[in-house]
């Protein structure tokens, strides 16, 4: 999913379309699909469906609270991709400090790590142990 999103931001989307896509992912609501261009609608639906299925599976074992962390990381990732797209479309060359702040998110390591961990067994001492991911706020 992250690879397809990266391609949408890097190759396929216009800046206006990417703004709509970013806003839709920020809303994380199927009703946002109506504002998207047709080629983005199928992917947006699929993204929400995949996340919903995992959330259901986690709910079966009483761990659905974990999945909001994965959603939050996906939102951070698309914000970073959108920032990079704005730089590209405007011809802006960011400073190394600006670039690194965004690149630490757009490399997707945190999103992939958090998403991988939500389905594992007990890695922390309960619900509040998941707050370690909140220490890495870049965007």
């Amino acid at each position: 999913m992250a690879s397809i999103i990266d391609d949408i931001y890097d190759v396929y989307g216009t800046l206006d379309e990417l703004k709509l896509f970013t806003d839709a992912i920020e809303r994380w609501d199927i009703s946002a699909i109506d504002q998207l261009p047709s080629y983005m609608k199928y992917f947006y639906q699929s993204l929400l469906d995949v996340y919903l299925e995992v959330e259901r599976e986690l709910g079966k074992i009483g761990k659905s609270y974990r999945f909001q962390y994965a959603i939050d990381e996906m939102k951070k990732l698309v914000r970073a991709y959108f920032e990079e797209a704005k730089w590209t479309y405007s011809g802006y060359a960011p400073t190394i400090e600006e670039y690194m702040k965004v690149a630490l998110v757009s490399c997707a390591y945190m999103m992939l790590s958090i998403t991988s961990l939500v389905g594992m067994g007990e890695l922390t001492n309960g619900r509040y142990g998941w707050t370690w991911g909140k220490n890495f706020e870049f965007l």
Side-chain angles (χ1 to χ4, degrees):
M1 291 276 170
S3 180
I4 294 170
I5 292 173
D6 183 52
D7 287 347
I8 288 171
Y9 280 87
D10 288 349
V11 180
Y12 297 106
T14 66
L15 195 56
D16 290 338
E17 291 170 343
L18 296 175
K19 172 72 171 130
L20 295 173
F21 190 63
T22 303
D23 290 346
I25 291 179
E26 287 285 353
R27 285 181 53 194
W28 206 265
D29 184 320
I30 193 60
S31 67
I33 202 168
D34 295 331
Q35 70 185 16
L36 297 175
S38 59
Y39 77 94
M40 289 181 176
K41 287 180 181 185
Y42 178 76
F43 178 77
Y44 185 71
Q45 175 74 59
S46 298
L47 177 70
L48 295 184
D49 288 348
V50 166
Y51 274 68
L52 182 60
E53 179 63 27
V54 174
E55 186 175 22
R56 283 185 191 139
E57 291 298 315
L58 287 171
K60 291 177 184 177
I61 59 171
K63 306 293 183 190
S64 62
Y65 69 87
R66 292 178 175 185
F67 213 64
Q68 187 60 47
Y69 295 103
I71 292 169
D72 291 344
E73 291 304 319
M74 179 58 77
K75 290 178 181 183
K76 289 178 195 175
L77 182 63
V78 299
R79 285 193 299 265
Y81 287 161
F82 186 57
E83 188 66 25
E84 291 175 343
K86 290 188 295 186
W87 291 340
T88 300
Y89 275 90
S90 69
Y92 179 69
T95 66
I96 190 67
E97 292 82 11
E98 291 170 320
Y99 173 75
M100 290 305 297
K101 182 179 177 182
V102 174
L104 286 170
V105 179
S106 70
C107 72
Y109 82 92
M110 185 59 80
M111 187 278 299
L112 293 170
S113 297
I114 294 289
T115 302
S116 297
L117 293 172
V118 297
M120 295 181 119
E122 289 302 321
L123 300 173
T124 68
N125 60 357
R127 179 180 300 240
Y128 300 104
W130 281 90
T131 58
W132 66 269
K134 296 292 184 185
N135 295 329
F136 299 99
E137 295 290 331
F138 297 108
L139 288 176

